[in-house]
Amino acid sequence: MANGPPMEVRIWGDFACFTRPEMKVERVSYDVMTPSAARGVLEAIFWKPEFKWRIHEISVLRPIRHYSILRNEVNTKASERSARAWARADGRFFADEDRTQRHTLALRDVAYVVRADVILQPHCVDHPEKYRDQFRRRVTKGQCHHTPYLGCREFAAAFGEVDPAESAADLTDDLGLMLFDVDYEDGDSGRGSPRFFQARLNRGVLAIPGELYEKGGR
């Protein structure tokens, strides 16, 4: 249950890529920030084990613009297994021998207003306004636990207070299936099942159905 009106924060950046999970190699961004990406930004600004964030809605402030990037990457993922294999060989890794070109269809010049609820955990005995005040102060001062990003870590996000004079862009469209979140299995397997929802942008606002949180408990 929400404790008070939704908290608000303005988030913007030069580039963003909220990658569609159905794309296996090439990165293709959703047209709008996903709920899980929005939660990641809020947790980068302020997080405590006593509460969790529930995204209420995401307002798109600027026209949706795409940007194509072609860059060199390596095929091999960094892992303990691959490191041991290199050590058994000659102990060296040559990126030029493992390089490939990959395409990214990203977004550029993005800005959003994220509205989210502070949901206290059952073990929390403090008043919710304590955490709401801390979040407001951190946004005002530009403080964060680590630099928030817009989908990919190389696309850093700026954040600040909402400008009351700024309104959502006049955009209405069916966005199709959008990733809501990933339900991870218990333990350290790292495996999880993605959950999707039918996303719709209504006059620049993406509303997140509340029943999604009731099903997943996030």
Side-chain angles (χ1 to χ4, degrees), residues 60-87:
V60 180
L61 303 180
R62 296 174 182 170
I64 297 172
R65 301 171 60 194
H66 294 91
Y67 184 70
S68 182
I69 304 172
L70 185 64
R71 53 188 173 179
N72 293 324
E73 300 181 5
V74 294
N75 289 307
T76 306
K77 293 183 179 180
S79 66
E80 181 181 356
R81 177 180 296 180
S82 59
R84 291 182 181 277
W86 300 333

mmCIF file of all heavy atoms in Angstrom, residues 60-87:
data_model
loop_
_atom_site.group_PDB
_atom_site.id
_atom_site.type_symbol
_atom_site.label_atom_id
_atom_site.label_comp_id
_atom_site.label_asym_id
_atom_site.label_seq_id
_atom_site.Cartn_x
_atom_site.Cartn_y
_atom_site.Cartn_z
ATOM 1 N N VAL A 60 6.747 11.107 -20.662
ATOM 2 C CA VAL A 60 7.738 11.411 -21.695
ATOM 3 C C VAL A 60 7.675 12.906 -21.981
ATOM 4 O O VAL A 60 6.628 13.424 -22.393
ATOM 5 C CB VAL A 60 7.463 10.600 -22.975
ATOM 6 C CG1 VAL A 60 8.506 10.913 -24.043
ATOM 7 C CG2 VAL A 60 7.456 9.105 -22.660
ATOM 8 N N LEU A 61 8.776 13.604 -21.781
ATOM 9 C CA LEU A 61 8.783 15.058 -21.904
ATOM 10 C C LEU A 61 9.227 15.553 -23.269
ATOM 11 O O LEU A 61 8.945 16.704 -23.629
ATOM 12 C CB LEU A 61 9.689 15.665 -20.828
ATOM 13 C CG LEU A 61 9.352 15.326 -19.375
ATOM 14 C CD1 LEU A 61 10.343 16.015 -18.441
ATOM 15 C CD2 LEU A 61 7.925 15.712 -19.032
ATOM 16 N N ARG A 62 9.927 14.723 -24.031
ATOM 17 C CA ARG A 62 10.461 15.158 -25.317
ATOM 18 C C ARG A 62 10.040 14.182 -26.417
ATOM 19 O O ARG A 62 9.738 13.024 -26.135
ATOM 20 C CB ARG A 62 11.997 15.252 -25.248
ATOM 21 C CG ARG A 62 12.503 16.296 -24.266
ATOM 22 C CD ARG A 62 14.008 16.243 -24.124
ATOM 23 N NE ARG A 62 14.495 17.223 -23.142
ATOM 24 C CZ ARG A 62 15.737 17.265 -22.682
ATOM 25 N NH1 ARG A 62 16.638 16.394 -23.134
ATOM 26 N NH2 ARG A 62 16.092 18.179 -21.782
ATOM 27 N N PRO A 63 10.038 14.644 -27.674
ATOM 28 C CA PRO A 63 9.711 13.734 -28.777
ATOM 29 C C PRO A 63 10.650 12.541 -28.804
ATOM 30 O O PRO A 63 11.829 12.633 -28.419
ATOM 31 C CB PRO A 63 9.892 14.619 -30.024
ATOM 32 C CG PRO A 63 9.744 16.015 -29.528
ATOM 33 C CD PRO A 63 10.298 16.027 -28.128
ATOM 34 N N ILE A 64 10.131 11.404 -29.248
ATOM 35 C CA ILE A 64 10.928 10.174 -29.305
ATOM 36 C C ILE A 64 11.816 10.224 -30.543
ATOM 37 O O ILE A 64 11.334 10.293 -31.677
ATOM 38 C CB ILE A 64 10.006 8.941 -29.341
ATOM 39 C CG1 ILE A 64 9.177 8.873 -28.052
ATOM 40 C CG2 ILE A 64 10.821 7.668 -29.528
ATOM 41 C CD1 ILE A 64 8.109 7.806 -28.057
ATOM 42 N N ARG A 65 13.118 10.206 -30.320
ATOM 43 C CA ARG A 65 14.094 10.286 -31.409
ATOM 44 C C ARG A 65 15.060 9.110 -31.289
ATOM 45 O O ARG A 65 15.567 8.815 -30.207
ATOM 46 C CB ARG A 65 14.870 11.603 -31.348
ATOM 47 C CG ARG A 65 13.999 12.849 -31.442
ATOM 48 C CD ARG A 65 14.815 14.095 -31.150
ATOM 49 N NE ARG A 65 15.926 14.255 -32.084
ATOM 50 C CZ ARG A 65 16.945 15.084 -31.901
ATOM 51 N NH1 ARG A 65 17.004 15.799 -30.776
ATOM 52 N NH2 ARG A 65 17.910 15.173 -32.776
ATOM 53 N N HIS A 66 15.315 8.454 -32.422
ATOM 54 C CA HIS A 66 16.221 7.304 -32.441
ATOM 55 C C HIS A 66 17.605 7.714 -32.942
ATOM 56 O O HIS A 66 17.753 8.710 -33.652
ATOM 57 C CB HIS A 66 15.656 6.185 -33.305
ATOM 58 C CG HIS A 66 14.389 5.580 -32.760
ATOM 59 N ND1 HIS A 66 13.143 6.044 -33.100
ATOM 60 C CD2 HIS A 66 14.190 4.568 -31.876
ATOM 61 C CE1 HIS A 66 12.217 5.342 -32.471
ATOM 62 N NE2 HIS A 66 12.820 4.442 -31.718
ATOM 63 N N TYR A 67 18.568 6.897 -32.557
ATOM 64 C CA TYR A 67 19.956 7.186 -32.914
ATOM 65 C C TYR A 67 20.670 5.859 -33.139
ATOM 66 O O TYR A 67 20.610 4.954 -32.300
ATOM 67 C CB TYR A 67 20.634 7.968 -31.793
ATOM 68 C CG TYR A 67 22.047 8.400 -32.090
ATOM 69 C CD1 TYR A 67 22.314 9.387 -33.024
ATOM 70 C CD2 TYR A 67 23.121 7.823 -31.423
ATOM 71 C CE1 TYR A 67 23.604 9.802 -33.297
ATOM 72 C CE2 TYR A 67 24.424 8.231 -31.677
ATOM 73 C CZ TYR A 67 24.659 9.219 -32.624
ATOM 74 O OH TYR A 67 25.940 9.620 -32.882
ATOM 75 N N SER A 68 21.303 5.727 -34.277
ATOM 76 C CA SER A 68 21.971 4.481 -34.649
ATOM 77 C C SER A 68 23.458 4.544 -34.308
ATOM 78 O O SER A 68 24.133 5.524 -34.650
ATOM 79 C CB SER A 68 21.785 4.209 -36.142
ATOM 80 O OG SER A 68 22.382 2.988 -36.499
ATOM 81 N N ILE A 69 23.947 3.505 -33.627
ATOM 82 C CA ILE A 69 25.352 3.435 -33.216
ATOM 83 C C ILE A 69 25.936 2.109 -33.706
ATOM 84 O O ILE A 69 25.343 1.045 -33.493
ATOM 85 C CB ILE A 69 25.502 3.515 -31.688
ATOM 86 C CG1 ILE A 69 24.836 4.788 -31.146
ATOM 87 C CG2 ILE A 69 26.971 3.468 -31.284
ATOM 88 C CD1 ILE A 69 24.789 4.837 -29.636
ATOM 89 N N LEU A 70 27.078 2.170 -34.352
ATOM 90 C CA LEU A 70 27.819 0.972 -34.753
ATOM 91 C C LEU A 70 29.175 1.018 -34.066
ATOM 92 O O LEU A 70 29.925 1.982 -34.225
ATOM 93 C CB LEU A 70 27.998 0.930 -36.276
ATOM 94 C CG LEU A 70 28.654 -0.335 -36.836
ATOM 95 C CD1 LEU A 70 27.764 -1.551 -36.580
ATOM 96 C CD2 LEU A 70 28.935 -0.191 -38.322
ATOM 97 N N ARG A 71 29.481 0.000 -33.277
ATOM 98 C CA ARG A 71 30.728 0.029 -32.524
ATOM 99 C C ARG A 71 31.337 -1.357 -32.436
ATOM 100 O O ARG A 71 30.670 -2.373 -32.622
ATOM 101 C CB ARG A 71 30.493 0.595 -31.124
ATOM 102 C CG ARG A 71 29.395 -0.075 -30.352
ATOM 103 C CD ARG A 71 29.103 0.671 -29.079
ATOM 104 N NE ARG A 71 27.932 0.136 -28.401
ATOM 105 C CZ ARG A 71 27.469 0.597 -27.260
ATOM 106 N NH1 ARG A 71 28.081 1.582 -26.644
ATOM 107 N NH2 ARG A 71 26.397 0.075 -26.708
ATOM 108 N N ASN A 72 32.627 -1.366 -32.157
ATOM 109 C CA ASN A 72 33.365 -2.611 -32.012
ATOM 110 C C ASN A 72 33.215 -3.155 -30.597
ATOM 111 O O ASN A 72 33.395 -2.417 -29.620
ATOM 112 C CB ASN A 72 34.850 -2.384 -32.323
ATOM 113 C CG ASN A 72 35.090 -2.046 -33.777
ATOM 114 O OD1 ASN A 72 34.405 -2.566 -34.667
ATOM 115 N ND2 ASN A 72 36.048 -1.180 -34.053
ATOM 116 N N GLU A 73 32.899 -4.435 -30.493
ATOM 117 C CA GLU A 73 32.781 -5.109 -29.211
ATOM 118 C C GLU A 73 33.468 -6.456 -29.304
ATOM 119 O O GLU A 73 33.878 -6.896 -30.384
ATOM 120 C CB GLU A 73 31.307 -5.283 -28.820
ATOM 121 C CG GLU A 73 30.538 -3.969 -28.698
ATOM 122 C CD GLU A 73 29.092 -4.181 -28.282
ATOM 123 O OE1 GLU A 73 28.719 -5.341 -28.005
ATOM 124 O OE2 GLU A 73 28.332 -3.195 -28.250
ATOM 125 N N VAL A 74 33.601 -7.122 -28.165
ATOM 126 C CA VAL A 74 34.188 -8.460 -28.157
ATOM 127 C C VAL A 74 33.085 -9.486 -27.977
ATOM 128 O O VAL A 74 32.048 -9.215 -27.358
ATOM 129 C CB VAL A 74 35.249 -8.611 -27.041
ATOM 130 C CG1 VAL A 74 36.443 -7.726 -27.322
ATOM 131 C CG2 VAL A 74 34.662 -8.296 -25.685
ATOM 132 N N ASN A 75 33.294 -10.684 -28.511
ATOM 133 C CA ASN A 75 32.296 -11.744 -28.437
ATOM 134 C C ASN A 75 32.274 -12.433 -27.082
ATOM 135 O O ASN A 75 31.228 -12.809 -26.571
ATOM 136 C CB ASN A 75 32.542 -12.789 -29.526
ATOM 137 C CG ASN A 75 32.223 -12.260 -30.913
ATOM 138 O OD1 ASN A 75 31.125 -11.761 -31.137
ATOM 139 N ND2 ASN A 75 33.164 -12.366 -31.830
ATOM 140 N N THR A 76 33.451 -12.612 -26.475
ATOM 141 C CA THR A 76 33.571 -13.407 -25.268
ATOM 142 C C THR A 76 33.159 -12.613 -24.040
ATOM 143 O O THR A 76 33.596 -11.473 -23.857
ATOM 144 C CB THR A 76 35.022 -13.902 -25.085
ATOM 145 O OG1 THR A 76 35.430 -14.592 -26.267
ATOM 146 C CG2 THR A 76 35.120 -14.847 -23.895
ATOM 147 N N LYS A 77 32.338 -13.206 -23.207
ATOM 148 C CA LYS A 77 31.952 -12.580 -21.953
ATOM 149 C C LYS A 77 33.028 -12.813 -20.892
ATOM 150 O O LYS A 77 33.614 -13.897 -20.832
ATOM 151 C CB LYS A 77 30.623 -13.146 -21.448
ATOM 152 C CG LYS A 77 29.426 -12.797 -22.311
ATOM 153 C CD LYS A 77 28.152 -13.345 -21.691
ATOM 154 C CE LYS A 77 26.935 -12.976 -22.543
ATOM 155 N NZ LYS A 77 25.677 -13.507 -21.949
ATOM 156 N N ALA A 78 33.272 -11.828 -20.082
ATOM 157 C CA ALA A 78 34.228 -11.967 -18.992
ATOM 158 C C ALA A 78 33.621 -12.861 -17.909
ATOM 159 O O ALA A 78 32.544 -12.572 -17.393
ATOM 160 C CB ALA A 78 34.589 -10.613 -18.413
ATOM 161 N N SER A 79 34.290 -13.952 -17.599
ATOM 162 C CA SER A 79 33.814 -14.886 -16.584
ATOM 163 C C SER A 79 35.000 -15.629 -15.984
ATOM 164 O O SER A 79 36.114 -15.600 -16.522
ATOM 165 C CB SER A 79 32.822 -15.890 -17.179
ATOM 166 O OG SER A 79 33.464 -16.728 -18.120
ATOM 167 N N GLU A 80 34.763 -16.291 -14.892
ATOM 168 C CA GLU A 80 35.829 -17.071 -14.256
ATOM 169 C C GLU A 80 36.289 -18.192 -15.174
ATOM 170 O O GLU A 80 37.487 -18.486 -15.266
ATOM 171 C CB GLU A 80 35.333 -17.641 -12.929
ATOM 172 C CG GLU A 80 36.395 -18.442 -12.184
ATOM 173 C CD GLU A 80 35.871 -19.019 -10.884
ATOM 174 O OE1 GLU A 80 34.704 -18.732 -10.519
ATOM 175 O OE2 GLU A 80 36.632 -19.764 -10.223
ATOM 176 N N ARG A 81 35.333 -18.815 -15.872
ATOM 177 C CA ARG A 81 35.690 -19.921 -16.762
ATOM 178 C C ARG A 81 36.594 -19.448 -17.895
ATOM 179 O O ARG A 81 37.606 -20.091 -18.209
ATOM 180 C CB ARG A 81 34.420 -20.554 -17.327
ATOM 181 C CG ARG A 81 34.701 -21.687 -18.323
ATOM 182 C CD ARG A 81 33.413 -22.272 -18.855
ATOM 183 N NE ARG A 81 32.632 -22.899 -17.794
ATOM 184 C CZ ARG A 81 31.457 -23.496 -18.009
ATOM 185 N NH1 ARG A 81 30.943 -23.523 -19.228
ATOM 186 N NH2 ARG A 81 30.808 -24.050 -17.002
ATOM 187 N N SER A 82 36.232 -18.309 -18.524
ATOM 188 C CA SER A 82 37.056 -17.815 -19.623
ATOM 189 C C SER A 82 38.425 -17.365 -19.127
ATOM 190 O O SER A 82 39.442 -17.562 -19.808
ATOM 191 C CB SER A 82 36.348 -16.663 -20.337
ATOM 192 O OG SER A 82 36.076 -15.601 -19.443
ATOM 193 N N ALA A 83 38.496 -16.788 -17.919
ATOM 194 C CA ALA A 83 39.784 -16.360 -17.368
ATOM 195 C C ALA A 83 40.693 -17.557 -17.119
ATOM 196 O O ALA A 83 41.907 -17.513 -17.375
ATOM 197 C CB ALA A 83 39.568 -15.576 -16.079
ATOM 198 N N ARG A 84 40.124 -18.649 -16.618
ATOM 199 C CA ARG A 84 40.929 -19.860 -16.393
ATOM 200 C C ARG A 84 41.430 -20.441 -17.712
ATOM 201 O O ARG A 84 42.544 -20.967 -17.790
ATOM 202 C CB ARG A 84 40.109 -20.891 -15.629
ATOM 203 C CG ARG A 84 39.816 -20.508 -14.175
ATOM 204 C CD ARG A 84 39.032 -21.605 -13.460
ATOM 205 N NE ARG A 84 38.723 -21.243 -12.098
ATOM 206 C CZ ARG A 84 39.545 -21.391 -11.065
ATOM 207 N NH1 ARG A 84 40.757 -21.926 -11.280
ATOM 208 N NH2 ARG A 84 39.187 -21.032 -9.855
ATOM 209 N N ALA A 85 40.578 -20.348 -18.742
ATOM 210 C CA ALA A 85 41.005 -20.853 -20.053
ATOM 211 C C ALA A 85 42.176 -20.048 -20.594
ATOM 212 O O ALA A 85 43.116 -20.603 -21.166
ATOM 213 C CB ALA A 85 39.826 -20.813 -21.026
ATOM 214 N N TRP A 86 42.129 -18.735 -20.414
ATOM 215 C CA TRP A 86 43.246 -17.902 -20.862
ATOM 216 C C TRP A 86 44.517 -18.228 -20.078
ATOM 217 O O TRP A 86 45.609 -18.264 -20.630
ATOM 218 C CB TRP A 86 42.906 -16.430 -20.687
ATOM 219 C CG TRP A 86 41.712 -15.981 -21.463
ATOM 220 C CD1 TRP A 86 41.230 -16.530 -22.624
ATOM 221 C CD2 TRP A 86 40.827 -14.916 -21.135
ATOM 222 N NE1 TRP A 86 40.105 -15.878 -23.031
ATOM 223 C CE2 TRP A 86 39.827 -14.871 -22.151
ATOM 224 C CE3 TRP A 86 40.778 -13.996 -20.101
ATOM 225 C CZ2 TRP A 86 38.798 -13.940 -22.140
ATOM 226 C CZ3 TRP A 86 39.763 -13.058 -20.088
ATOM 227 C CH2 TRP A 86 38.781 -13.031 -21.093
ATOM 228 N N ALA A 87 44.358 -18.503 -18.782
ATOM 229 C CA ALA A 87 45.528 -18.811 -17.954
ATOM 230 C C ALA A 87 46.162 -20.131 -18.378
ATOM 231 O O ALA A 87 47.390 -20.284 -18.337
ATOM 232 C CB ALA A 87 45.128 -18.858 -16.481
#
